[in-house]
């Protein structure tokens, strides 16, 4: 029998709270990292996706650590992990 075909899972749909505390989204992992790099969202911006039980600050999700060094982190002198 042929091996089972592995179907890629769809990208995670993220939602986030904007500066006015209004829910925005959905967006992708890359979209959130881009908003962070541009300064549109920050470490304490609350984000959520369907795998989470509650909204959390983006810095507590591990998402920022997965995307390389952030321009904003470098500008603010914080340490970004690769």
């Amino acid at each position: 029998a042929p091996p089972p075909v592995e179907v890629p899972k769809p990208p995670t749909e993220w939602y986030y709270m904007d500066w006015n505390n209004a829910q925005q989204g959905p967006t992708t992992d890359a979209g959130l990292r881009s908003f962070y790099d541009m300064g549109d969202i920050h470490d304490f911006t609350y984000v959520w996706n369907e795998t989470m039980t509650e909204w959390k600050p983006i810095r507590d999700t591990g998402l920022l650590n997965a995307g390389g060094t952030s321009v904003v982190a470098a500008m603010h002198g914080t340490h970004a992990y690769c």
Side-chain angles (χ1 to χ4, degrees), residues 18-50:
D18 69 13
W19 292 99
N20 295 317
N21 230 13
Q23 181 179 312
Q24 301 294 326
T27 189
T28 61
D29 294 10
L32 272 185
R33 282 194 293 270
S34 177
F35 295 148
Y36 183 84
D37 288 343
M38 291 186 298
D40 292 339
I41 62 175
H42 53 83
D43 290 343
F44 298 100
T45 297
Y46 276 81
V47 298
W48 178 86
N49 70 51
E50 65 182 14

Side-chain angles (χ1 to χ4, degrees), residues 12 14 48-54:
T12 301
W14 287 92
W48 178 86
N49 70 51
E50 65 182 14
T51 68
M52 299 168 62
T53 57
E54 61 186 12

